[in-house]
Amino acid sequence: MSRRPVEEAKLHRPGSRAKDRRPSDRRPSDRRKGHENQLTLLALPNQSPLIHFRFIFRAGSALDLKGREGCAALCAAMLVRGGSALRSAGQLSEALFPLGAHITEQVDKEMTAISGSTHRDNLPHFYAILREMLLQPGWRQDDFLRLREELQNTLQQALLHNDEELARLVLQKEIFAGRPYAHPPLGTLKGLASLKLPDVQDFYRQHFNRAGLTLGLTGDLPEGFAQQVLQDFRALPEGRSASLVLRPPLRRLQNRVTLVPRDTEGVTISMGLPCNVTRGHRDFPALYLATQAFGAHRSSLGLLFQKLREQRGLTYGAYSYLEYFPRPMSQLAPEPNLVRQQQLFELWVRPVAWENCHFALRLAWRELRLLVEQGLSEDCFYITQQHLLGTIPQLVATNDQALGAAIDARFYGLPGHDYAEQLRRAVASLTRSAVNRAVARHLRADRLQVVLVGPRLDELRTRLLADAPSPILYDSPKPSFVLEEDKIVAGWNLSLEPNQVRIESVAELFA
Amino acid sequence: MPFAFREVEFANGLRLLLLPTNFPGLVSLYSLVSVGSRHERASTRGFAHLFEHCLFRGSASFPGRTWDDALIATGALANAFTEDDYTAFHSTFPKEALPRILQLEADRFQYPAFTEEDYFSELEAIASEYRHQSADPLRRIQTALRKAAFPSHPYRYSPLSPPQELHHLQGSRSLANRFYAQHYRPERTTLFLIGDLEGQPVAEWVEESWSNWRRGRSLPEAPLPETTPPNASQPNATLPEPTPSDAAQLQPSHTTLPSAAGAPPWLAVGFRAPGLLTHGQIRNGQSHHAALAASWEEVAALDLLTVIGFGEGSPLHQELVMERHLADSLYSSYERHADSFLFTIYVRVKREDAIAPVEQALLSALLQLRTQPVTPSQLTRSLMHLRYRFSLRLDSNQHIGRTLADFVGITGTPAAINQLFAAYARVTPAKLQAVVRRYLSPAARLVVVLRALPAAEPSL
């Protein structure tokens, strides 16, 4: 489907200067200053009858006030599912129903994305609903109570019924302790309970304004439609620059292990360390390649997958990430518009039988150590590079994904709108030594935060502190090279001290 | 459907479906095999899913990792899933890689070469796959519903069996080989290609690398029990209410599953509903199945009912979610299956004390649908909803493949989707009422509640 030229307009604040930005590894907070003072329209017209909207507000959960965690999430829910000043939530839902369309909110640390798709037959109806939701919120107390309770339930369900998500939430919480990224984007139970309607209205007034708003559109847009959208959203107050300057995560000097007891059938492992190589950083393509080679999401490409699953059948999967990927259990690729200034390098080992979890932890950790110390082999580098040249275009297989990626590229300070093509070219020109240098520069296998969620963790703690041997138990024969490596792994010392291994309950962690 | 497809059937029974789209540069392949947990028996439980895993572990010309490495080097993103009725292997790749992909696919299907070690590693990986899904509330509810609905039909078991039920696979390689030889055959396989196919001699490539694959011996399968949902033997349209004697035979079931204190409860109400198999083209080797009395109109009416009766646009949603604040979400599903499966209504209830009023409201809504026809406007709006919702899913080759996989995997042809949409237009308020009476009888409801405490109040 051919894409017509990009239409773009910026609404400048009086007195502001909007300079073209160059890709660089400048500090993210520096980059933001060029972007936040302008209302931006990013239209990618094409001939598709499916029209996608992505409206991005710089209003994420990192802006939640202390004790009011969940405000960003509840504000977005109120806009999208809380009715407008003109129509109740039920009436809006009824109006949207025959269009077969959905409008959804995605709240992350630094942005709220309101997105939706419609067939062009229904564009006027759809857009009228979307505009009404965002520009004329309903703010009814009844809807507020309904949605607050819904978010509390959603958070409870994530904490109590999804160990893998829980492990990843704990990892973020521990690494960003004391920082605005620490709590889940949904908030905390206490924070949600303390929120009142005026808190959410204040949040809207303060952060849902023209400053930093990006209006993304793609599809067969009628003549003048994009300009009309831009004009309509000028109705929002200009707003002040919502500059979010983040302090780096607390510097840890040793490994830390957090054990979260749960009565489940296996042990989930998440581990990671802060890593600020975001898409605008010059080492991003190299580290992206390394992360894929090490643990591509749900793919047999990754070394972790090969070692833990293919060779040993220890787990369904083991993966690594350079960018936050919410709800990876059910998706093959992350949603766009999760731009963060600070990222984690993250390892995720899906549930392992308790008997083998000590071994699995040692194996994954040791593989990370080998990656950092030795880098990728020539074969591994080459096949990963070949693979990525084919898969990177799939990051933008849908027009909606292309729009999302183009919006994110702007936030990361990249020029142009074809992020995938830029990344593909950068990956094509990488060398193995460049990748391994980037790995050595940014990754490490010490000062890690490790989280384990599962049963019998008191017992595991004792074993961890004793560095007890953890021979793996197989139900079937394994090749000799695997058994030889197992002997090394089973006795590999983690050298953890008692103060480094803590047991924490879910209730304490997300009170 | 806004795309036309072409079909080629080869001498060995293998079918090729080509669906060209205007998404440039990429192609998706869905290799669909008519084998799922429905084809398993007690001695072969878990095989369909296990073979799905094993088929990534090498072939005769590409042994061990070399198969996977060759696939990875093409730039393909590949995965697979096993359903009750079929297994799908899918990949999306640059169009230039198509000949290579077809070659790799042909080799693993005809000459799989996984080792004993691979077999057992995958068996252990499946145990982990089960572990990570076992805490999921919806997975637990569905497991309980299957148990209640299917005393002996293989739908009683999901394709993902708990590890303790897979011990029999440990020492049964010969049984595994027989299962494989029976089901992985050309006449049970469809290659479904979607994407930038212009100017590519795909049929020739397939002929070249797949024509040596021999048809299987047509082993008769034992007929399956319970393929007919309650009431399905009765004529359609103007069904009487179930008589007392019918009701006596159709006992409602009520299952309570324990949940963590503090987590929101779930209520699910399921009903047996007709399958698709007799509606579409019957695939080779499957014609022995008992025919259902349902028609495409009934399938279409049940689809419409998921949104009219129990979806976001329904009066019940308005009542439970918006007005009474008893539930966070309400939705229903009528999954595509070959044989009679389930129509299920799911409610995430806000609080423990709301479970009983939610179930009561749900039964009242059912009664209303039985006794009062929906308005023509409700029907028109729901039809629009289904059409546009479907069109919005067709935004990439991969998504088109996934959206149509159920239809192709079960009926053998994407044309089934056109038959279904034609049937939507023929559904009337009276027909909708008829399917409610026929399939959604309160007397036959299967209730599953997930809650922190055992049910204190009696089931309604």
Side-chain angles (χ1 to χ4, degrees), chain B residues 430-444:
Chain B
K431 282 183 180 161
L432 206 62
Q433 204 173 2
V435 295
V436 175
R437 291 181 177 206
R438 189 172 203 183
Y439 297 112
L440 273 60
S441 162

Side-chain angles (χ1 to χ4, degrees), chain A residues 29 34 37 80 157 170 183 194 214 222 225-226 251 256 263 274 277 308 323 328 351 376 385 412 439 472:
Chain A
S29 54
N37 294 333
V80 173
Q157 185 161 305
V170 175
H183 63 278
S194 73
T214 301
F225 178 73
R251 193 174 152 83
R256 285 160 53 92
D263 184 20
V277 180
L308 274 82
E323 294 182 307
L376 301 178
Q385 189 179 41
Y412 284 119
V439 167
I472 181 171

Side-chain angles (χ1 to χ4, degrees), chain A residues 354-365:
Chain A
W354 187 91
E355 291 70 23
N356 291 328
C357 75
H358 191 181
F359 179 89
L361 173 65
R362 281 176 153 148
L363 178 56
W365 202 330

Side-chain angles (χ1 to χ4, degrees), chain A residues 354-411:
Chain A
W354 187 91
E355 291 70 23
N356 291 328
C357 75
H358 191 181
F359 179 89
L361 173 65
R362 281 176 153 148
L363 178 56
W365 202 330
R366 181 169 175 270
E367 285 303 315
L368 177 61
R369 165 74 56 86
L370 294 174
L371 173 72
V372 171
E373 289 177 354
Q374 300 172 11
L376 301 178
S377 69
E378 189 62 43
D379 284 353
C380 182
F381 165 76
Y382 177 74
I383 194 172
T384 307
Q385 189 179 41
Q386 290 303 303
H387 180 67
L388 294 180
L389 296 181
T391 58
I392 288 171
Q394 298 188 46
L395 296 172
V396 293
T398 70
N399 289 330
D400 186 36
Q401 287 169 326
L403 174 65
I407 291 170
D408 290 346
R410 285 184 55 78
F411 281 112

